[in-house]
Amino acid sequence: MPERTMEAPHGGTGSDAPAAATPPAPVGPELARDFRDVLPADSVITDEVGRRSYECDGLTGFRQVPALVVLPRDADEVAACVRICARHGVPFVARGAGTGLSGGAMPVADGVVISLQKLRRILEIDVENRRAVLEPGVYNLDISKAAKPHGLYYAPDPSSQQVCTIGGNVAENSGGAHCLKYGFTTNHVLEMEVVLADGSVVTLGGPTGEQAGPDLRGLFIGSEGTLGICTKVTVRLLQTPEAVRTVLADFPSIEAAGDTVGDIVDAAIIPAAVEMMDSLSMEASEAATGAGLTVDAPAALIIELDGPADEVDAEFEHLTAICERHGATRLHVPTEAEERQKVWKGRKAAFAAVGRISPDYIVQDGVVPRTRLAEVLTRIAEMGRDAGLRVANVFHAGDGNLHPLVLYSEAAGEHDAAEKLSTDIAELCVELGGSLSGEHGIGTDKACSMPVMFSPEDLGVMHRVRLAFDPDSRCNPGKLFPTPRLCGERPGKYAPHPLEEAGVIERL
């Protein structure tokens, strides 16, 4: 497979307004035939039942059945599939495990899903240089499992780390509970092999993470599959900490818990993780896991310190004093690794566990400054009451990355109200000096909110960068950027146009 190191892109549309993508060509039998020329027959899915399995990601309110699904087995076959799409003028969407929560992997009606689920090899664990070379379908947690015998681990740990893949983590720039101290995916990826929209293969970054010229590695990470497909990634491994101490602290109010977080950081203590859960999320998680959460506590913090043993012991004394000063009603300190893992299971199972207390829910993702945590949670509670819906909160308090869960019942006709509340919460984060997303991405879900955070000029620059990589916008189209189709006729549950309701036009 020919490979080149990519230089900085250049060129543009000559306008700040996003240009219209080239319309997709109709999908015919010759497309499937071309795919079968480069893939085994059972790796080309054309039947409706098989294609419907790929109609959405973890945001199930947005669905679209693709025209075709292909399952390449290695990087060469991925590049061959992309070249076929380019030759036929057909858009494509790369898909990992489908655990994303922003509709980023939702297919295109006349497009192809390129599933990377068969690219699951750990190609190398380089102990001496503390690196791992991976295919994109490797599960996040499996990286640390493979590195553990060498006293190493991979730091980013999304709650879905047992089932999410490193390719998806690269696409969304995923973080996790320990991102306060260790950062996000972009802080741990050194080098990537990427297939561009024309099927050419480039290398972004380098063995040390550095590359001459613009940081195209950093540009690609978090681009949500709109710039190409990552087929190989080299990540940084860290040495397993000498000591780890965790405390589960209950508080009489969310405000008290929020103030505690601020004081911890002000005291120059940088915990590996600071997570907050409210009573509703603890109720659901405790029922599912039995982790020892206090379900009637208004709020709890899970705080973890790691590093040299003497340093951890000194910081732990200071940390618990801060918690007590803010009125902590219980301080539970696990003494065994198994007990500590149980506490973390309670936190990481929260999203799924909410299904026990609500038939349907939407997971939102936004960021606010730490100093405004109490304010934003108060506002969210007020907005939930006004909408007649419950909102559970579980999030990365250390960096202000919120994950409100809007609970509703589709059967009771609450979907539209829940979707509006979810969008309003994301936009509230921007109003309070934060951003629309911390790690789940924009995808389909929040594309129409992008103008709340970015000016037309900002969006124009972003779009021109995208066109430098993908001139025809064939690579995961309809994501990130607001478009008339997406924002006027959003995918998912059908809503009639006002002219249709007035009898002026008919739906065909």
Side-chain angles (χ1 to χ4, degrees), residues 396-412:
H396 312 311
D399 63 351
N401 188 185
L402 305 177
H403 294 316
L405 296 99
V406 179
L407 315 185
Y408 72 99
S409 170
E410 180 79 36

Side-chain angles (χ1 to χ4, degrees), residues 125-143:
I125 299 292
D126 181 353
V127 178
E128 182 178 1
N129 294 298
R130 296 185 182 178
R131 296 183 303 215
V133 183
L134 316 158
E135 289 188 323
V138 173
Y139 294 123
N140 175 288
L141 188 59
D142 285 349
I143 307 171

Side-chain angles (χ1 to χ4, degrees), residues 181 268-271 305-306 310-320:
K181 182 174 182 178
I269 300 172
I270 305 298
L305 300 170
D306 67 9
D310 290 345
E311 176 184 303
V312 168
D313 288 344
E315 289 185 342
F316 189 79
E317 294 300 321
H318 197 176
L319 170 68
T320 53

Side-chain angles (χ1 to χ4, degrees), residues 72-75 78 116-121 135-138 231:
R73 297 164 296 180
D74 56 33
V78 172
L116 304 174
Q117 66 188 66
K118 291 188 176 183
L119 280 73
R120 292 184 178 177
R121 293 180 299 164
E135 289 188 323
V138 173
T231 51

Side-chain angles (χ1 to χ4, degrees), residues 373-454:
L373 278 175
E375 179 183 359
V376 73
L377 293 172
T378 299
R379 292 275 298 274
I380 289 172
E382 293 171 352
M383 293 162 67
R385 285 193 295 270
D386 291 344
L389 299 170
R390 295 180 297 167
V391 181
N393 289 285
V394 52
F395 55 93
H396 312 311
D399 63 351
N401 188 185
L402 305 177
H403 294 316
L405 296 99
V406 179
L407 315 185
Y408 72 99
S409 170
E410 180 79 36
E414 296 175 339
H415 175 272
D416 291 348
E419 187 178 313
K420 182 180 185 305
L421 175 58
S422 177
T423 298
D424 289 346
I425 290 172
E427 295 182 359
L428 172 65
C429 291
V430 178
E431 177 189 328
L432 296 181
S435 68
L436 289 170
S437 176
E439 57 179 337
H440 293 177
I442 301 299
T444 303
D445 183 35
K446 289 181 280 194
C448 298
S449 297
M450 287 286 275
V452 175
M453 185 171 176
F454 297 104

Side-chain angles (χ1 to χ4, degrees), residues 251-259 276 278 298-299 373-374 377-378 393 395:
F251 289 89
S253 68
I254 285 178
E255 290 80 6
D259 290 343
M276 187 185 293
D278 68 6
L373 278 175
L377 293 172
T378 299
N393 289 285
F395 55 93

Side-chain angles (χ1 to χ4, degrees), residues 39 87 125 133 161 163 173 188 205 223 225 252 258 279 316 374 378 408 435:
L39 299 174
R87 189 162 65 245
I125 299 292
V133 183
Q161 66 180 145
V163 292
N173 191 24
H188 299 270
S223 60
S279 58
F316 189 79
T378 299
Y408 72 99
S435 68

Side-chain angles (χ1 to χ4, degrees), residues 192-250:
M192 294 171 294
E193 177 185 85
V194 172
V195 178
L196 299 179
D198 61 357
S200 60
V201 180
V202 300
T203 297
L204 306 182
T208 63
E210 300 297 327
Q211 179 177 333
D215 181 16
L216 299 180
R217 178 206 60 86
L219 177 66
F220 186 89
I221 297 170
S223 60
E224 302 190 29
T226 61
L227 303 183
I229 302 177
C230 175
T231 51
K232 185 167 67 177
V233 55
T234 301
V235 301
R236 188 193 319 273
L237 301 176
L238 302 182
Q239 183 174 354
T240 303
E242 177 186 358
V244 178
R245 297 195 71 176
T246 305
V247 59
L248 171 60
D250 295 338

